[in-house]
């Protein structure tokens, strides 16, 4: 962190002067900004030292470039992050779970379990190199809607453009685009940036409106016409139409189920014919599963990884994905990863999200439960979530914990050479910590007992 002497900052009329003679600017909503001055000058972040890369998940050749700032830069970024989170975090939608307090992978998976059980199609996707391609000008325009302090905006811009040093300090490269992964401020900036996408999706759904910014609205306004189509308006421009996924209070009754119910009522109870009709009713949904008069759409995002569940047709899923792709490229300068974007039939295939296998769930899978009173009732099970044991062993193999033995076709533990010089108690403590991490993360899955084989 470098501090340079300069002329006294002009009074912005936003607060009383500090003991250094500088004003205390206010963020949007009257939140005091973090101290931006120290040693009599404006804080200027230095380029990060080197640019190490972290490999991505198994099977990928891509790497994740990291930017680790100096300790003084981290202090300023943390103070700025705390202040910005007070302004922006209350405006984030409940569909966003990444990098937020009291939220995480478990809360995202719980929302999927509660909402996606009856979805026919699921769109799973990932934004390609999200942190690396964030447009600085678009980011500053989004922040400027709620923060009018030019000093704060200048500090955020300088942090984005700080860059990194290569060739042992002989070459400094400024960041023209993107925010460095590893920065204290980057996760919050990513959420602020992708909040625009959250609002776009929820307005496509016809969901609740977000809080307006001080600089005026810039998100999508849904206008429902008599044809049950939503007219999408973004920044005063008509950007297309979409189906209204909130029309209809509930699904209509299945005519086949209604016919069987009437026939069952006319037959004497307990007769062979009555039992045959009862068996047929158990295999027929009581409501129309493909009711085009009451479609539904659900959306969950963790960082740059998101899923969208639809109770509708495959054509509607394709139309939404096309519209989202075009909007991201036009407004946020982002693209979806072509190798990680799929439209899957949820009832027959299921998906893998955040390391957990979700679904498939059959509509005919309704087991009989025996209650304490002795009564038997047919229940509707929850959306199944299971541990992908093979995938877990592959990740452990990449970390050097196990190897695949071809003689009996199973994964077995191997010597962890990087800890061979450690004390035996430290080795045991380390492996116990690794196992507790896996167990705590997968403790809620339906086949958690499979962790006993790890």
């Amino acid at each position: 962190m470098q501090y340079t002497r300069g002329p006294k900052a002009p009074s912005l009329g936003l607060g009383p002067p500090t003991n250094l003679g500088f004003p205390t600017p206010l963020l949007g909503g009257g939140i005091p900004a973090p101290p931006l001055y120290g040693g009599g000058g404006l804080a200027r972040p230095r380029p990060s030292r080197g640019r190490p890369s972290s490999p991505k998940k198994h099977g990928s050749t891509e790497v994740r470039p990291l930017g680790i700032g100096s300790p003084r830069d981290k202090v300023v970024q943390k103070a700025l992050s705390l202040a910005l989170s007070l302004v922006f975090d209350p405006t984030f939608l409940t569909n966003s779970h990444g990098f937020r307090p009291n939220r995480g992978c478990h809360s995202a998976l719980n929302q999927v379990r509660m909402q996606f059980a009856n979805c026919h199609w699921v769109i799973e996707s990932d934004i390609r190199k999200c942190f690396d391609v964030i447009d600085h000008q678009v980011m500053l325009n989004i922040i400027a809607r709620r923060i009018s302090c030019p000093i704060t905006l200048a500090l955020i811009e300088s942090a984005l453009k700080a860059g990194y040093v290569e060739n042992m300090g002989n070459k400094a490269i400024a960041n023209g685009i993107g925010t460095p992964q590893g920065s204290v401020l980057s996760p919050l900036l990513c959420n602020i940036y992708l909040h625009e996408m959250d609002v776009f999706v929820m307005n496509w759904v016809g969901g609740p409106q977000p809080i307006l910014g001080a600089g005026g609205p810039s998100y999508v306004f849904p206008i429902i016409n008599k044809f049950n189509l939503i007219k999408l308006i973004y920044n005063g421009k008509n950007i297309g139409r979409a189906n209204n996924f909130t029309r209809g209070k509930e699904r209509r009754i299945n005519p086949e189920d209604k016919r069987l119910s009437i026939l069952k009522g006319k037959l004497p109870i307990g007769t062979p014919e009555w039992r045959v009709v009862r068996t047929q009713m158990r295999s027929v949904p009581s409501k129309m599963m493909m009711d085009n008069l009451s479609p539904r759409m659900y959306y969950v995002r963790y960082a740059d990884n998101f899923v969208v569940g639809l109770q509708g047709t495959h054509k509607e899923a394709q139309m939404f994905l096309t519209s989202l792709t075009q909007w991201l490229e036009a407004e946020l300068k982002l693209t979806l990863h072509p190798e990680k974007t799929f439209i899957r039939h949820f009832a027959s295939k299921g998906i893998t999200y955040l390391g957990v296998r979700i679904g498939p769930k059959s509509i005919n899978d309704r087991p009989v439960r025996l209650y304490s009173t002795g009564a038997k009732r047919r229940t509707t099970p929850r959306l199944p979530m299971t541990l992908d044991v093979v995938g877990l062993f592959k990740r452990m193999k990449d970390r050097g914990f196990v190897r695949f033995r071809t003689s009996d076709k199973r994964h077995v533990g191997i010597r962890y050479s990087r800890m061979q010089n450690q004390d035996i108690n430290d080795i045991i403590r380390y492996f116990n910590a690794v196992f507790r991490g896996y167990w705590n993360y997968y403790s809620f899955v339906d086949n958690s007992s499979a962790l006993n084989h790890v």
Side-chain angles (χ1 to χ4, degrees):
M1 181 75 64
Q2 288 181 331
Y3 299 108
T4 59
R5 270 288 184 187
K8 182 177 179 180
S11 177
L12 302 178
L14 299 176
T18 65
N19 54 3
L20 295 177
F22 292 98
T24 302
L26 296 180
L27 303 179
I31 304 299
L36 307 181
Y37 300 97
L42 180 63
R44 295 182 179 176
R46 286 183 176 181
S48 59
R49 293 173 294 180
R51 205 180 192 195
S53 298
S54 173
K56 291 194 174 183
K57 67 178 186 178
H58 173 77
S60 176
T61 58
E62 298 180 354
V63 294
R64 182 181 290 109
L66 304 177
I68 310 300
S70 66
R72 292 186 178 182
D73 286 349
K74 292 180 180 180
V75 172
V76 175
Q77 291 178 11
K78 183 60 178 180
L80 188 59
S81 175
L82 292 174
L84 292 178
S85 62
L86 294 176
V87 178
F88 286 97
D89 193 83
T91 68
F92 293 156
L93 303 184
T94 56
N95 311 80
S96 173
H97 297 267
F99 314 128
R100 296 186 62 188
N102 301 321
R103 290 176 179 269
C105 296
H106 285 183
S107 61
L109 292 169
N110 183 64
Q111 184 177 355
V112 171
R113 168 169 270 176
M114 294 295 103
Q115 296 181 347
F116 283 50
N118 297 319
C119 291
H120 308 125
W121 302 96
V122 171
I123 302 172
E124 52 177 330
S125 184
D126 185 277
I127 298 178
R128 188 169 192 173
K129 297 183 178 180
C130 178
F131 284 86
D132 300 336
V133 298
I134 287 179
D135 189 273
H136 292 176
Q137 191 57 49
V138 175
M139 170 68 75
L140 293 174
N141 292 340
I142 295 173
I143 297 177
R145 297 179 202 149
R146 297 190 58 84
I147 296 179
S148 58
C149 173
I151 302 176
T152 306
L153 295 175
L155 180 61
I156 297 174
E157 184 177 9
S158 63
L160 290 173
K161 298 182 181 298
Y164 57 95
V165 177
E166 278 190 351
N167 297 333
M168 301 298 294
N170 295 327
K171 184 179 180 181
I173 301 177
N175 273 344
I177 192 173
T179 176
Q181 298 190 54
S183 170
V184 178
L185 193 58
S186 293
L188 178 60
L189 294 180
C190 179
N191 267 341
I192 295 174
Y193 202 76
L194 294 183
H195 173 69
E196 299 293 303
M197 184 183 72
D198 299 342
V199 175
F200 174 82
V201 175
M202 293 309 298
N203 280 280
W204 179 287
V205 175
Q209 299 294 325
I211 300 175
L212 279 173
S218 65
Y219 46 77
V220 181
F221 287 93
I223 303 176
I224 303 175
N225 59 16
K226 62 180 180 180
F227 300 106
N228 280 322
L229 293 176
I230 297 178
K231 186 178 181 181
L232 301 178
I233 306 297
Y234 184 84
N235 284 338
K237 299 181 297 183
N238 184 3
I239 61 174
R241 296 181 181 273
N243 284 351
N244 176 19
F245 284 91
T246 58
R247 66 181 186 269
K249 294 183 178 180
E250 61 181 7
R251 296 175 179 174
R252 291 175 293 176
I253 297 177
N254 189 351
E256 180 65 15
D257 180 78
K258 184 177 181 180
R259 184 188 68 82
L260 293 175
S261 179
I262 295 175
L263 179 60
K264 178 184 174 184
K266 296 179 179 180
L267 297 175
I269 299 176
T271 60
E273 295 80 5
W274 182 86
R275 295 180 183 275
V276 170
V277 174
R278 184 184 65 174
T279 303
Q280 293 177 352
M281 289 185 62
R282 290 174 179 174
S283 62
V284 176
S286 60
K287 300 295 182 69
M288 296 178 61
M289 301 303 295
M290 297 295 292
D291 188 4
N292 57 357
L293 296 183
S294 57
R296 292 294 182 266
M297 179 187 288
Y298 305 99
Y299 166 72
V300 177
R301 179 179 66 84
Y302 182 88
D304 58 350
N305 194 351
F306 65 92
V307 289
V308 179
L310 293 94
Q311 295 178 10
T313 63
H314 185 265
K315 183 178 179 180
E316 289 175 328
Q318 287 182 322
M319 182 175 64
F320 167 76
L321 183 59
T322 302
S323 178
L324 177 62
T325 302
Q326 295 175 352
W327 183 86
L328 284 174
E329 294 177 354
E331 302 296 339
L332 298 184
K333 310 298 189 295
L334 299 176
T335 58
L336 300 180
H337 202 298
E339 299 179 359
K340 301 179 182 178
T341 302
F342 306 98
I343 300 179
R344 301 189 187 277
H345 189 249
F346 196 46
S348 60
K349 296 181 180 180
I351 61 172
T352 300
Y353 185 57
L354 300 179
V356 177
R357 181 67 182 171
I358 306 174
K361 176 185 176 182
S362 174
I363 60 175
N364 298 326
D365 185 13
R366 298 189 61 192
V368 177
R369 179 181 176 184
L370 179 62
Y371 288 82
S372 58
T373 58
K376 293 182 179 180
R377 295 181 181 177
R378 195 167 294 276
T379 60
T380 301
R382 299 183 302 175
L383 182 64
M385 289 189 173
T386 56
L387 163 67
D388 183 8
V389 182
V390 177
L392 177 60
F393 274 115
K394 287 182 179 179
R395 292 194 296 272
M396 296 181 67
K397 180 182 178 182
D398 294 338
R399 296 185 60 182
F401 291 122
V402 298
R403 67 177 179 87
F404 184 74
R405 191 166 59 191
T406 57
S407 59
D408 52 356
K409 296 183 179 180
R410 56 177 298 186
H411 289 85
V412 294
I414 59 176
R415 182 184 63 181
Y416 204 52
S417 57
R418 59 184 293 185
M419 298 192 67
Q420 61 183 356
N421 296 326
Q422 300 292 328
D423 184 74
I424 185 63
N425 292 330
D426 295 335
I427 297 176
I428 294 175
R429 192 179 299 111
Y430 174 77
F431 279 98
N432 284 338
V434 172
F435 179 76
R436 281 198 305 271
Y438 286 124
W439 183 265
N440 290 335
Y441 186 81
Y442 293 106
S443 59
F444 66 94
V445 297
D446 299 333
N447 62 337
S448 58
S449 60
L451 290 172
N452 296 328
H453 302 287
V454 177

